[in-house]
């Protein structure tokens, strides 16, 4: 999928790139997310109760969930209260058990580069704030740090981050080490 030239604003989260379990087409990957303005996505989640989307915290610019080999670049990401870009595994504690033996819950091989950030992470949701251990503002880019212990390194297990900027210079990054 190519997601480009959008203005994603005034939602719970701006752009969601998800790989979900129990779908007829498995192994979602390779989205190219570029040249978007993603701002002010801070409203309470209105997703249908019990769905994965209903568990997404407010204030997220771009979220990669359990998806591989995506490229997120040349986006303007600003004024999202929780975090600019969040890369997370399918965490059973939050989303429940996937109950799909073929499902890959870990995000791998993603490339986040050449984005600009401004004013993100200043009023994070309780879930994001708790996971960050009280750090404020939340860094511009956050990865949950979960890796597949059974994975064989085929050259794309690492999520790469490069040349992202904010008003102070280089964008900030945190590995939450969950």
């Amino acid at each position: 999928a190519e997601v480009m030239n959008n203005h994603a604003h005034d939602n719970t989260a701006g752009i969601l790139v998800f790989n979900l379990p129990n779908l007829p087409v498995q192994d979602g990957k390779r989205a190219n997310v570029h040249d978007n303005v993603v701002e002010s996505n801070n409203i309470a989640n209105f997703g249908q109760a019990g769905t994965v989307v209903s568990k997404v915290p407010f204030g997220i610019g771009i979220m990669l969930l359990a998806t591989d080999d995506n490229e997120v670049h040349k986006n303007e990401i600003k004024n999202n209260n929780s975090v600019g870009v969040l890369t997370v595994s399918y965490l059973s504690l939050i989303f429940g058990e996937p109950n799909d033996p073929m499902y890959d819950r870990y995000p791998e091989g993603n490339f986040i580069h050449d984005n600009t950030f401004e004013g993100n992470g200043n009023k994070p949701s309780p879930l994001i704030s708790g996971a960050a251990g009280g750090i404020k503002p939340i860094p511009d880019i956050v990865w949950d740090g979960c890796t597949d212990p059974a994975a064989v390194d085929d050259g794309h297990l690492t999520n790469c981050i490069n040349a992202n900027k904010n008003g102070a210079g280089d964008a900030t990054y945190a590995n939450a080490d969950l």
Side-chain angles (χ1 to χ4, degrees):
E2 184 170 22
V3 182
M4 61 183 259
N5 299 326
N6 295 287
H7 185 199
H9 61 93
D10 299 303
N11 296 293
T12 299
I15 297 174
L16 306 175
V17 182
F18 284 10
N19 179 34
L20 298 175
N22 302 307
L23 295 177
V25 176
Q26 293 284 318
D27 205 22
K29 58 173 77 175
R30 291 187 296 277
N32 184 2
V33 181
H34 64 94
D35 296 298
N36 300 288
V37 175
V38 183
E39 65 180 327
S40 303
N41 294 291
N42 302 313
I43 66 170
N45 192 316
F46 54 88
Q48 182 177 356
T51 64
V52 170
V53 173
S54 73
K55 298 176 193 251
V56 173
F58 69 83
I60 295 175
I62 298 173
M63 182 175 173
L64 304 175
L65 173 66
T67 182
D68 298 346
D69 303 320
N70 300 286
E71 186 174 8
V72 177
H73 60 109
K74 298 180 186 172
N75 298 289
E76 184 179 334
I77 305 164
K78 59 186 180 179
N79 302 321
N80 299 288
N81 287 346
S82 289
V83 63
V85 174
L86 179 64
T87 303
V88 293
S89 303
Y90 188 97
L91 301 169
S92 297
L93 182 66
I94 298 170
F95 301 111
E97 282 301 319
N99 298 321
D100 181 345
M102 299 304 295
Y103 181 62
D104 176 8
R105 66 173 68 216
Y106 300 99
E108 300 164 335
N110 296 296
F111 188 22
I112 301 166
H113 66 95
D114 297 297
N115 298 288
T116 58
F117 295 85
E118 178 186 330
N120 298 293
N122 292 312
K123 298 177 191 172
S125 74
L127 180 63
I128 299 294
S129 182
I135 296 171
K136 279 192 184 173
I138 302 297
D140 297 309
I141 303 165
V142 176
W143 172 45
D144 70 3
C146 297
T147 58
D148 184 353
V152 174
D153 189 354
D154 59 359
H156 87 280
L157 293 180
T158 304
N159 293 304
C160 296
I161 298 165
N162 186 48
N164 296 284
K165 301 292 181 191
N166 67 24
D170 290 337
T172 54
Y173 165 77
N175 176 341
D177 197 23
L178 297 178

